[in-house]
């Protein structure tokens, strides 16, 4: 059943996301083939395009969750004998697939801009840094991905909470409020550990507090992100099974 739901989920969100990817690829190809010498214009255009792709992709993911479960399709979805965990898993796997596809568009774009417009010495320094800090970079990347998908699940959870009958006409406000509350609460456990942030001095002589991205603190962040993800997964699944209110 999970594979059937996933196939349906990908098919439903395929059009808008893929079309936006193709438009971006076409514009990028035209700029880099015929207007390569215009560094400022190309950099600004591609940066704006990457931001727009990210916004379109995630808006599609979240709108799909809302319309499929709490719109007209929800009446059909919740008449099927499907557990909320399976429904939620299909949404999360679909979001993961589209996020990977987005990365496969954005990462080559950043590399292309770097190779064309960035001083080769900076590229060499970045490569040398990666070679000397492979473990750190990999751990940081894992923490970033986990944090991102935790945020996706927080938004799913916020949407589900906002659909509870108690909120009535204030569902949108409730959804935003729940999202920010969960995000704030999620950061508290990490701050309880010492040396999460260190004092650094700026070139102007001011002391500022800077987050310490040591491997230890990144692993602490990963642990809490994973714990929150697991809790929210089961709570959101419970809401889908027992507290769904369709309008």
């Amino acid at each position: 059943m999970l594979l059937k739901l996933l196939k349906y989920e990908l098919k439903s969100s395929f059009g808008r996301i893929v079309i936006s990817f193709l438009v971006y690829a076409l514009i990028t190809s035209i700029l880099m083939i015929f207007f390569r010498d215009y560094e400022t214009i190309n950099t600004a255009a591609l940066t704006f395009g990457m931001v727009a792709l990210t916004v379109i992709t995630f808006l599609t993911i979240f709108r799909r969750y809302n319309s499929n479960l709490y719109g007209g399709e929800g009446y059909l979805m919740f008449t099927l004998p499907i557990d909320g965990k399976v429904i939620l898993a299909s949404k999360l796997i679909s979001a993961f697939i589209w996020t990977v596809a987005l990365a496969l568009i954005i990462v080559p774009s950043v590399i292309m801009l770097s190779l064309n417009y960035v001083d080769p010495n900076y590229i060499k320094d970045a490569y040398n840094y990666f070679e000397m800090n492979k473990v750190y970079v990999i751990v940081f990347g894992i923490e970033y991905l986990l944090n991102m998908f935790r945020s996706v699940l927080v938004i799913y959870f916020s949407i589900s909470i906002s659909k509870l009958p108690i909120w009535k006409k204030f569902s949108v406000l409730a959804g935003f409020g729940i999202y920010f509350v969960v995000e704030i609460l999620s950061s508290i456990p990490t701050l309880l550990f010492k040396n999460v942030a260190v004092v650094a001095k700026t070139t102007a002589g001011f002391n500022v507090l800077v987050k310490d991205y040591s491997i230890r603190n990144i692993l602490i962040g990963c642990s809490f992100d994973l714990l929150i993800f697991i809790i929210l997964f089961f709570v959101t699944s419970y809401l889908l099974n027992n507290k769904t209110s369709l309008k």
Side-chain angles (χ1 to χ4, degrees), residues 31-32 35-49 113 116-118:
L31 289 175
M32 298 309 297
F35 304 97
R36 181 175 295 182
D37 294 334
Y38 297 89
E39 175 182 349
T40 302
I41 295 175
N42 287 348
T43 302
L46 294 189
T47 301
F48 175 81
L113 285 174
N116 280 278
Y117 303 124
V118 174

Side-chain angles (χ1 to χ4, degrees), residues 155-228:
I155 293 178
Y156 284 172
F157 170 73
S158 301
I159 292 173
S160 294
I161 287 288
S162 72
K163 300 301 180 180
L164 294 176
I166 190 175
W167 302 114
K168 295 183 180 179
K169 296 181 179 180
F170 302 100
S171 60
V172 175
L173 183 61
F176 278 108
I178 291 296
Y179 173 80
F180 287 113
V181 168
V182 173
E183 287 291 346
I184 291 171
L185 292 176
S186 299
S187 64
I188 291 177
T190 306
L191 296 176
L192 295 177
F193 287 82
K194 296 181 179 180
N195 302 322
V196 170
V198 295
V199 176
K201 183 168 290 188
T202 66
T203 54
F206 297 104
N207 290 326
V208 295
L209 201 61
V210 179
K211 189 172 182 179
D212 179 15
Y213 286 101
S214 64
I215 289 183
R216 169 187 173 274
N217 289 331
I218 291 176
L219 290 176
I220 290 173
C222 281
S223 300
F224 281 112
D225 282 340
L226 183 59
L227 176 61
I228 293 167

Side-chain angles (χ1 to χ4, degrees), residues 45-186:
L46 294 189
T47 301
F48 175 81
M50 286 184 275
V51 172
L53 278 185
T54 303
V55 171
I56 291 171
T57 300
F58 283 99
L59 276 181
T60 302
I61 290 171
F62 299 136
R63 287 183 62 185
R64 178 67 195 155
Y65 181 87
N66 183 63
S67 63
N68 179 234
L69 298 182
Y70 299 103
E73 295 180 60
Y75 290 96
L76 173 62
M77 182 65 68
F78 289 108
T79 58
L80 300 175
I82 307 173
D83 188 84
K85 298 183 186 67
V86 177
I87 295 174
L88 185 57
S90 69
K91 303 291 183 185
L92 290 170
I93 295 172
S94 174
F96 175 77
I97 291 173
W98 288 128
T99 302
V100 170
L102 179 65
L104 293 177
I105 296 290
I106 290 180
V107 172
S109 297
V110 173
I111 294 174
M112 180 177 60
L113 285 174
S114 300
L115 292 176
N116 280 278
Y117 303 124
V118 174
D119 188 329
N121 290 326
Y122 290 119
I123 299 176
K124 183 178 180 180
D125 290 341
Y127 178 78
N128 290 335
Y129 178 84
F130 174 76
E131 284 293 316
M132 293 185 294
N133 300 275
K134 286 182 180 179
V135 175
Y136 177 84
V137 173
I138 292 172
V139 172
F140 185 85
I142 293 173
E143 197 276 337
Y144 179 82
L145 288 174
L146 188 56
N147 183 270
M148 181 178 64
F149 281 100
R150 177 193 60 79
S151 296
V152 169
L153 187 52
V154 170
I155 293 178
Y156 284 172
F157 170 73
S158 301
I159 292 173
S160 294
I161 287 288
S162 72
K163 300 301 180 180
L164 294 176
I166 190 175
W167 302 114
K168 295 183 180 179
K169 296 181 179 180
F170 302 100
S171 60
V172 175
L173 183 61
F176 278 108
I178 291 296
Y179 173 80
F180 287 113
V181 168
V182 173
E183 287 291 346
I184 291 171
L185 292 176
S186 299

